[in-house]
Amino acid sequence: MFGSLVKLEQPADFLRSIAIAFVALVAASAVTGTAFFQKIDLQLHDVQARWLAREVDFSDIIFVDVSEESMNSLEPEIGAWPYSRAVYAKVTEFLRDAGARSITFDIVFAERRPQDEELATTLAATPGVTLAVLAKDFTVNSAADTETLLKRISWNAPANAPALAWQQFILPREMFIWAGRPIAAAGVIAVSLDSDGVLRRIPLLHRVGDRVLPGLSAATVFAGEPRPEIRYNQLTREVIIGKHAWPVDKDGSIQLRFPSNYRSMETSHFSDVFHAAMTMQPAKDLAEKINGRRVFVGSTAESINDYQNTLFGRKAGLHLLGEVNQLLEQGEVLAPPVLRWDMLLLALALLVPVASFRERENRNPLHYAIGFVLLPLLIGGLSSTLYLYKQSTALGFPLLAGYLAFVFFLVRRLWRLYNERQRLFYEKLAAEESYKLKSQFISHMTHELRTPLAAIIGFNRLLGESEYGERGQSQYTKVIEKNSDHLMTLINNMLDQGKIEAGQMKISKAPALIREVVDDVIATMSNMAAEKQLGLKALFDETVPNTLEFDSFRLRQVLLNLLSNAIKFTQRGHVHLTISWANSGLCIQVSDSGPGMTADVLDRIFIPFRQGADNTQHAYGGTGLGLAISRNLCELMGGSLTVHSEVGKGSDFKVRIPAPACAESNLPLSQPTLKATDKRLQGCVLLADDNDDIRDLVIRLLKKHGVTVLPVIDGRQAVETALQEMPDVVLMDIEMPVMDGLSATKLLRKSGFTRPIFAMTAYPEGPEVERALKEGFDGYLEKPVNRDKLYGILAAFLKPMPQPAAVIRSTFPGSM
Amino acid sequence: MTKVIVEVDSDLADLVPKFLANRQKDLLQIGEAIDRADNSALLIIGHNMKGVGGGYGFGEITELGKRIEAAAKRGDQVELRQQLTQYKEYLANLEIRYV
């Protein structure tokens, strides 16, 4: 049942469980020596024995009891105890004549008494009499012929037969048991008690030197028969006498299955029997009672007999004698524990906790409770079944080992729970901290988002409501644009951070011109630096190759971020970019002459949503994400972003990324190098620009390629013309009157215009371009217009055409 | 002043007179805007110059446009006047060679 459950476990866990079970076993072994354990163990066995006690047929035996009542009744006639041996002779004669199957005296006839001869004569004429022998742990002065007598009456037993050893037997007088032939058998009246003083076992054989006598109750079993041979089967540990085979323990004791109905044993008063023997009273009933039964003559009087504690209370020695005799006759004995059954019980006891505490499952505590209850039921059940089959077993030890295993498993489980709780506690703290940071961040972000939005909404309303001149319009739109740009940066940063956290940020390396990237970045930031009158320049090491393989878009993003930070925090002096290259690694250092940072601040600046100082955001704006994103990007590119800073001495940020050198021929085709003026293309291009010089120029360039051009001067016209004429490509200036390029593109996309739209801008590096790309533009063309780049864009969307025809379909009135 | 020689694509020869006339308008507009201290107008003019100059081959006009745009952003009147003077001188000393 449990075997199949255990198989579900992981091998390592199963082995660990076995180890715990083994430790429990060792611990249990250590405990078994203690008096406490032994007491508990005995009591467990007693509970089992009482619970399983059966009824035994006692109709074979009868006691003739020299009770207090008998003694009182007989005192006037024959005097006080001890009685003359003639009394026993009379009683023996009566019992014999009444048909007793055997007569056993629980009285030691060792000393010389009056009328011994009369008793000896009666015994010689009475078969089946067994007399009591005392056994002593010490030697008392004894008759010289004792040894000879013992030799005559002792039973033949092999030397290895287990027997309780004594110093001396006190035998009955020789005349009662030997007259040239055995006239009565002898059995030892001695018990062995367990450590708690309770009688559970009876010694079968007793030994003094090499002479063996059986116990009195065992001797009675063979009363009237010739003295049988004793054999011992070492394998089954059975003492075999005649047709009986009794299993014994190593002391030679027999464990008995005491019955529950011992009170049903028949008793007659000694006085009644004596009176009947003396024919003072009619004795027919008594004689009938005695006929065919084994008779035990002795006393239950407190003053004479000994009493023993048993599982079923205090019992007189006389009663025990008869009871034990009957149990031996009927084979109501238990085999001593054997290894195989004890091992089975132990294995079962350990398996229950192992199965209850199976790992890899979130076990309900109810499982432990079930195991806890199941353990004694299983052990008790099996042990009791064996008990019914006359096999005694260990009981306390398997239960102890099983429960110790339970305790060990429970301790381990509690220990794991404790660790788990600690972990959860710290995780909760971390989650709370993270939640706090996010909350702070959201409140900052809300503020950051609201500020530019408020400006956008406000100025947009002014545009709609007030009478404004060209100057006002320009001013308002600039404010709106600036704030929109800021919003876009915020949102882009958020998106980038989100992508990085989700592991979706992709790095795409390609050969690119490093100087071009750096120049672009410098050009983009130059205005910002110029506004603060800061020196901004890039210093290239001579060893830096022209073409390197790296992700130019992401590097540009990192550098723009570092430069904008450097410029933002530097009030006077310079911001320098130093570019070096070694071992296929590119190092770009951004140094400024700003205020520098303390170590405390340096610890925080790369943590998302944290800025150098709490008031930084209010003073300088920003999301607190820029440096975190930059570092993440550098690491994604396979490099690093480090910082060195000292208060008052400025800061140095170092970007290191792997960037192997490559040939310029590897540069992607998106940077056309061939002069393309002679290439002719077929198609129609819508050109929207309010500046007539630019319009003229682009028309001319397009015309050279044979392209049909639809020139318009603002966004509204662009939308109308595009939807009407469906040009193949749209070139759209961003800043135009009436409707700007962003709005026009948005409107076109909304109206279902899917053809490519390219922005024309003089700010190719600014946020305007990113915004444009998000609004639906497919790309951008930098102003001043480079004819090769223009051709590169057109060639991607227009088919080549040989004839040099260019038609200008003017849709705008006159010149601007 | 020495002549400033600019090489222009001969394809654009017919566009250049109009282009240069528009540049003269720039001079007037810049002067007026400086007088009005209208930096937003100057920003637009500078931006336009930046976008248009290089396309025709007049890289210097793009550069001047950048500087005017930057100066207008800062509201640097001195710089603006200086750039206006330079622009005037540049246009006055232009010598165009069509190639």
Side-chain angles (χ1 to χ4, degrees):
Chain A
M1 169 192 177
F2 290 95
S4 61
L5 296 179
V6 171
K7 275 175 200 160
L8 298 175
E9 262 182 81
Q10 295 294 312
D13 260 325
F14 181 66
L15 286 179
R16 216 169 291 140
S17 300
I18 294 297
I20 289 177
F22 182 74
V23 172
L25 186 65
V26 171
S29 305
V31 173
T32 48
T34 62
F36 178 73
F37 172 80
Q38 285 170 2
K39 193 172 173 187
I40 296 289
D41 190 32
L42 287 173
Q43 283 181 1
L44 281 171
H45 279 103
D46 290 354
V47 168
Q48 186 182 47
R50 281 192 203 108
W51 191 50
L52 299 173
R54 301 197 305 184
E55 294 200 346
V56 164
D57 178 15
F58 284 120
S59 62
D60 275 359
I61 61 171
I62 186 165
F63 297 108
V64 174
D65 185 4
V66 189
S67 57
E68 301 280 353
E69 200 185 329
S70 276
M71 284 197 273
N72 292 339
S73 151
L74 288 175
E75 196 168 346
E77 300 164 41
I78 57 172
W81 178 273
Y83 302 135
S84 129
R85 296 271 152 81
V87 173
Y88 301 114
K90 291 286 179 209
V91 167
T92 305
E93 273 170 34
F94 174 78
L95 293 174
R96 179 192 65 206
D97 297 343
R101 199 161 74 188
S102 68
I103 303 162
T104 302
F105 281 95
D106 185 24
I107 301 165
V108 182
F109 298 134
E111 80 286 14
R112 185 185 298 271
R113 303 282 300 171
Q115 284 97 34
D116 274 353
E117 291 73 16
E118 196 176 330
L119 178 59
T121 309
T122 306
L123 291 178
T126 309
V129 174
T130 311
L131 300 180
V133 173
L134 277 178
K136 294 291 180 195
D137 267 336
F138 46 88
T139 316
V140 293
N141 52 335
S142 61
D145 58 351
T146 302
E147 184 56 37
T148 319
L149 180 60
L150 183 57
K151 192 179 171 186
R152 284 174 178 156
I153 64 164
S154 63
W155 296 29
N156 284 328
N160 65 351
L164 198 56
W166 301 95
Q167 284 294 315
Q168 192 182 17
F169 290 134
I170 309 290
L171 300 173
R173 291 193 66 188
E174 184 175 355
M175 62 195 298
F176 299 141
I177 51 177
W178 187 262
R181 62 176 178 92
I183 53 172
V188 178
I189 45 166
V191 293
S192 62
L193 303 177
D194 284 328
S195 56
D196 57 352
V198 175
L199 185 144
R200 296 181 183 84
R201 300 171 298 154
I202 285 288
L204 181 64
L205 300 176
H206 301 262
R207 184 194 297 277
V208 168
D210 55 355
R211 302 292 169 204
V212 171
L213 282 177
L216 185 56
S217 44
T220 304
V221 172
F222 303 97
E225 295 174 22
R227 197 167 37 180
E229 192 82 11
I230 297 173
R231 284 179 293 132
Y232 178 60
N233 185 338
Q234 209 156 7
L235 206 66
T236 56
R237 294 202 297 189
E238 282 176 325
V239 170
I240 302 146
I241 311 176
K243 60 177 180 169
H244 293 278
W246 293 298
V248 295
D249 62 17
K250 59 181 185 296
D251 303 328
S253 291
I254 295 180
Q255 202 174 344
L256 297 157
R257 283 210 306 194
F258 284 99
S260 55
N261 61 332
Y262 62 96
R263 287 182 203 281
S264 68
M265 291 185 291
E266 188 96 35
T267 300
S268 289
H269 288 296
F270 186 80
S271 53
D272 292 347
V273 176
F274 178 72
H275 287 145
M278 299 302 287
T279 62
M280 289 174 190
Q281 282 177 5
K284 199 178 164 208
D285 289 352
L286 190 59
E288 274 175 15
K289 265 208 266 183
I290 286 163
N291 186 24
R293 284 179 159 174
R294 290 196 297 282
V295 182
F296 292 88
V297 183
S299 176
T300 59
E302 295 277 349
S303 54
I304 301 166
N305 206 290
D306 54 338
Y307 277 75
Q308 304 298 343
N309 287 320
T310 70
L311 304 183
F312 293 92
R314 203 160 160 269
K315 286 183 184 173
L318 176 66
H319 289 157
L320 273 170
L321 183 65
E323 189 179 1
V324 171
N325 171 259
Q326 191 65 2
L327 294 176
L328 288 176
E329 281 274 5
Q330 299 188 11
E332 285 293 312
V333 298
L334 288 169
V338 289
L339 192 65
R340 59 178 187 278
W341 291 116
D342 284 358
M343 287 302 283
L344 178 68
L345 282 167
L346 189 62
L348 204 60
L350 292 174
L351 200 58
V352 172
V354 167
S356 296
F357 285 87
R358 212 150 33 99
E359 298 301 329
R360 302 282 169 204
E361 259 184 56
N362 203 3
R363 305 226 83 183
N364 189 320
L366 192 63
H367 288 115
Y368 312 150
I370 291 172
F372 207 78
V373 174
L374 199 63
L375 179 63
L377 291 181
L378 277 175
I379 301 305
L382 179 59
S383 170
S384 298
T385 307
L386 291 167
Y387 183 94
L388 292 176
Y389 285 96
K390 301 183 183 178
Q391 174 64 56
S392 73
T393 60
L395 200 52
F397 185 70
L399 282 174
L400 177 69
Y403 278 122
L404 277 178
F406 252 108
V407 169
F408 292 160
F409 275 116
L410 203 61
V411 166
R412 185 171 74 141
R413 179 57 51 89
L414 289 175
W415 178 249
R416 284 187 176 183
L417 283 176
Y418 170 79
N419 283 338
E420 182 69 8
R421 213 171 62 166
Q422 291 290 97
R423 191 179 64 77
L424 288 176
F425 174 73
Y426 286 116
E427 275 184 5
K428 182 169 159 267
L429 279 188
E432 280 170 358
E433 178 67 11
S434 162
Y435 177 76
K436 213 170 90 186
L437 283 178
K438 288 259 177 192
S439 299
Q440 274 175 4
F441 164 73
I442 284 171
S443 86
H444 286 165
M445 281 303 289
T446 313
H447 175 78
E448 279 298 315
L449 291 171
R450 202 167 43 201
T451 310
L453 259 180
I456 291 167
I457 293 166
F459 280 95
N460 193 44
R461 196 168 289 149
L462 281 177
L463 275 176
E465 285 174 0
S466 62
E467 291 279 321
Y468 53 83
E470 208 171 297
R471 183 180 158 196
Q473 177 196 17
S474 163
Q475 240 175 357
Y476 297 162
T477 50
K478 290 280 173 200
V479 172
I480 291 171
E481 184 190 327
K482 192 180 132 204
N483 282 288
S484 305
D485 290 347
H486 181 65
L487 258 182
M488 184 55 72
T489 310
L490 273 174
I491 291 163
N492 283 341
N493 275 351
M494 289 279 291
L495 289 173
D496 278 353
Q497 180 65 16
K499 268 189 189 171
I500 289 170
E501 282 181 3
Q504 289 170 346
M505 181 65 85
K506 296 277 180 287
I507 297 297
S508 51
K509 292 182 183 177
L513 297 166
I514 178 63
R515 284 179 174 78
E516 194 174 275
V517 172
V518 172
D519 287 347
D520 282 353
V521 171
I522 293 282
T524 307
M525 300 312 295
S526 57
N527 282 350
M528 198 173 155
E531 277 173 23
K532 296 179 82 173
Q533 293 185 315
L534 299 174
L536 173 64
K537 60 180 174 184
L539 307 164
F540 272 92
D541 198 285
E542 282 176 4
T543 57
V544 182
N546 277 334
T547 312
L548 298 173
E549 193 180 339
F550 61 99
D551 187 331
S552 57
F553 185 76
R554 294 298 168 196
L555 180 64
R556 201 186 300 252
Q557 187 179 354
V558 170
L559 293 180
L560 282 173
N561 185 270
L562 295 178
L563 278 179
S564 94
N565 274 350
I567 294 170
K568 194 153 59 176
F569 292 104
T570 304
Q571 299 309 325
R572 65 175 68 85
H574 64 266
V575 175
H576 288 166
L577 271 169
T578 313
I579 301 97
S580 57
W581 186 85
N583 300 326
S584 292
L586 180 66
C587 176
I588 303 179
Q589 185 173 339
V590 180
S591 342
D592 65 49
S593 58
M597 288 172 276
T598 61
D600 188 35
V601 172
L602 284 175
D603 285 344
R604 293 202 299 258
I605 54 172
F606 290 111
I607 302 173
F609 313 132
R610 297 286 289 267
Q611 289 178 319
D614 288 340
N615 61 359
T616 303
Q617 194 168 38
H618 297 292
Y620 298 99
T623 56
L625 283 170
L627 281 175
I629 292 172
S630 297
R631 173 169 271 187
N632 282 328
L633 287 176
C634 288
E635 284 167 1
L636 282 172
M637 287 189 277
S640 63
L641 171 59
T642 53
V643 61
H644 174 78
S645 183
E646 271 181 61
V647 175
K649 291 186 178 174
S651 307
D652 291 340
F653 284 85
K654 251 183 204 165
V655 175
R656 285 192 181 85
I657 55 166
C662 51
E664 286 193 28
S665 57
N666 291 337
L667 284 173
L669 288 174
S670 60
Q671 296 174 331
T673 51
L674 58 149
K675 191 88 173 163
T677 43
D678 294 335
K679 306 272 181 178
R680 296 197 166 268
L681 300 164
Q682 182 182 24
C684 175
V685 174
L686 174 75
L687 171 66
D689 200 312
D690 62 325
N691 186 308
D692 54 355
D693 289 324
I694 289 175
R695 226 168 37 237
D696 289 347
L697 176 69
V698 176
I699 290 169
R700 178 58 51 87
L701 295 176
L702 292 173
K703 192 177 152 190
K704 272 177 72 77
H705 292 301
V707 175
T708 308
V709 186
L710 303 172
V712 294
I713 58 165
D714 62 42
R716 190 179 299 279
Q717 283 187 17
V719 173
E720 286 166 1
T721 312
L723 292 177
Q724 214 174 334
E725 304 288 340
M726 295 306 282
D728 297 304
V729 177
V730 175
L731 297 175
M732 180 92 77
D733 185 24
I734 292 181
E735 287 172 43
M736 286 186 290
V738 185
M739 182 186 283
D740 67 21
L742 288 175
S743 311
T745 302
K746 228 164 124 178
L747 196 56
L748 275 174
R749 293 300 186 212
K750 228 170 151 180
S751 311
F753 186 85
T754 55
R755 299 191 172 180
I757 305 175
F758 281 81
M760 294 201 293
T761 176
Y763 289 121
E765 312 296 344
E768 192 180 48
V769 170
E770 277 184 44
R771 200 169 130 204
L773 294 176
K774 290 209 166 58
E775 293 287 0
F777 281 94
D778 295 285
Y780 67 89
L781 180 63
E782 186 181 343
K783 283 202 271 189
V785 176
N786 174 300
R787 59 184 70 187
D788 289 341
K789 286 185 179 171
L790 175 65
Y791 174 78
I793 289 169
L794 295 178
F797 299 99
L798 302 181
K799 290 178 201 159
M801 190 184 75
Q803 65 268 37
V807 181
I808 301 175
R809 285 192 289 171
S810 179
T811 55
F812 64 95
S815 65
M816 290 290 293
Chain B
M1 278 303 285
T2 51
K3 287 281 178 193
V4 181
I5 298 164
V6 177
E7 292 184 342
V8 176
D9 191 330
S10 54
D11 290 343
L12 305 175
D14 58 323
L15 297 176
V16 170
K18 185 184 165 196
F19 172 79
L20 289 178
N22 282 337
R23 301 292 72 76
Q24 291 300 329
K25 282 184 199 164
D26 285 348
L27 290 180
L28 288 174
Q29 283 172 1
I30 292 168
E32 284 170 14
I34 290 175
D35 291 341
R36 292 200 310 272
D38 186 348
N39 286 329
S40 52
L42 285 163
L43 206 64
I44 294 167
I45 299 167
H47 184 72
N48 282 339
M49 285 167 64
K50 190 174 84 176
V52 80
Y56 281 84
F58 298 88
E60 182 62 22
I61 293 178
T62 291
E63 290 305 313
L64 282 163
K66 279 186 191 171
R67 292 203 282 270
I68 289 169
E69 194 181 11
K73 265 189 191 165
R74 296 198 303 273
D76 188 339
Q77 299 294 311
V78 179
E79 173 74 10
L80 281 167
R81 283 186 194 285
Q82 219 171 349
Q83 294 302 329
L84 178 59
T85 312
Q86 278 191 22
Y87 194 14
K88 270 181 189 162
E89 281 177 5
Y90 174 77
L91 288 178
N93 295 300
L94 262 182
E95 188 180 309
I96 296 164
R97 287 185 192 162
Y98 294 106
V99 291

